[in-house]
Amino acid sequence: MNRVKFYSINDLLYGHNLKNCESSLNDFDLGLRDVTDVNDIIELYNIKKYFDNEVYLVEWTSDIIKQFKGIVSNNYANVARFIKSINNDNLLSIYKGVSREYTSDFWELFDKFKAFENISEDKFEKFMGESNVLLLNILRCKNVTNHFGEIIRKICLVTYHLQLNYS
């Protein structure tokens, strides 16, 4: 994957990811990339995590770091705006566009920006039946889990009973 993915500050790949940060931020700054694709949105979120944790390449000067922080800051409002625009009509199509590596980040953002408030229980239940969501990613999101607790519980019980029947 050539996109940036933040795993932790102890990640051995952070050097590679920071090089990708550099390239992506320059593209965002020059207007070569719009923050309108779900994967661009999630990538910018991952880039922000590096800067929030003050993880930088050693060759970056304080001026470069300041410049990159400005690019992240100038574009981060687009992340919030995009995620908050998720609703009953576009949840499935947006989620289907999420790269496999970014699915847990999608749910983090969905939880953080309370996009779940734009989704009815009926649509969420239908979404869960039509998508290949890893339930663990949702269960890590306290707000989403609280909001759709009954639906999630029902899915867990059905899954458990199906497993018992196949055992």
Side-chain angles (χ1 to χ4, degrees):
M1 177 170 96
N2 289 330
R3 291 193 177 268
V4 175
K5 174 70 175 158
F6 179 87
Y7 294 100
S8 76
I9 58 173
N10 298 319
D11 179 25
L12 295 176
L13 293 176
Y14 77 86
H16 172 74
N17 276 307
L18 287 171
K19 278 292 191 190
N20 287 341
C21 282
E22 189 173 46
S23 175
S24 293
L25 288 172
N26 286 326
D27 286 351
F28 285 127
D29 192 38
L30 296 172
L32 300 175
R33 287 177 65 187
D34 290 326
V35 190
T36 56
D37 173 73
V38 67
N39 294 301
D40 289 339
I41 293 292
I42 297 171
E43 181 176 27
L44 189 56
Y45 174 63
N46 277 276
I47 291 170
K48 185 177 184 308
K49 286 181 177 183
Y50 280 104
F51 286 88
D52 288 348
N53 285 284
E54 299 180 350
V55 178
Y56 315 118
L57 287 176
V58 292
E59 62 259 25
W60 289 353
T61 65
S62 59
D63 287 341
I64 290 172
I65 293 168
K66 184 177 177 181
Q67 176 190 356
F68 286 161
K69 283 183 176 182
I71 296 168
V72 170
S73 178
N74 290 338
N75 286 285
Y76 196 68
N78 295 326
V79 173
R81 192 171 16 263
F82 183 93
I83 298 299
K84 288 179 180 182
S85 75
I86 297 172
N87 59 42
N88 284 332
D89 298 327
N90 61 17
L91 172 61
L92 184 60
S93 63
I94 289 173
Y95 187 75
K96 283 184 176 182
V98 175
S99 294
R100 185 176 48 86
E101 296 85 2
Y102 279 162
T103 55
S104 63
D105 298 302
F106 173 85
W107 290 109
E108 273 181 46
L109 289 166
F110 192 81
D111 190 71
K112 177 182 181 118
F113 291 110
K114 300 183 180 184
F116 57 86
E117 292 176 348
N118 302 332
I119 311 297
S120 69
E121 289 185 358
D122 291 344
K123 288 291 185 173
F124 185 76
E125 188 169 9
K126 183 177 180 186
F127 166 80
M128 293 299 291
E130 293 176 354
S131 61
N132 291 322
V133 176
L134 183 61
L135 197 54
L136 181 61
N137 287 335
I138 294 175
L139 292 173
R140 290 180 178 145
C141 302
K142 181 181 177 183
N143 295 322
V144 176
T145 303
N146 287 338
H147 192 77
F148 294 116
E150 283 303 312
I151 295 167
I152 293 169
R153 179 182 174 277
K154 188 163 84 173
I155 291 167
C156 289
L157 288 172
V158 167
T159 303
Y160 177 74
H161 288 294
L162 286 173
Q163 288 175 347
L164 283 178
N165 291 335
Y166 287 113
S167 298

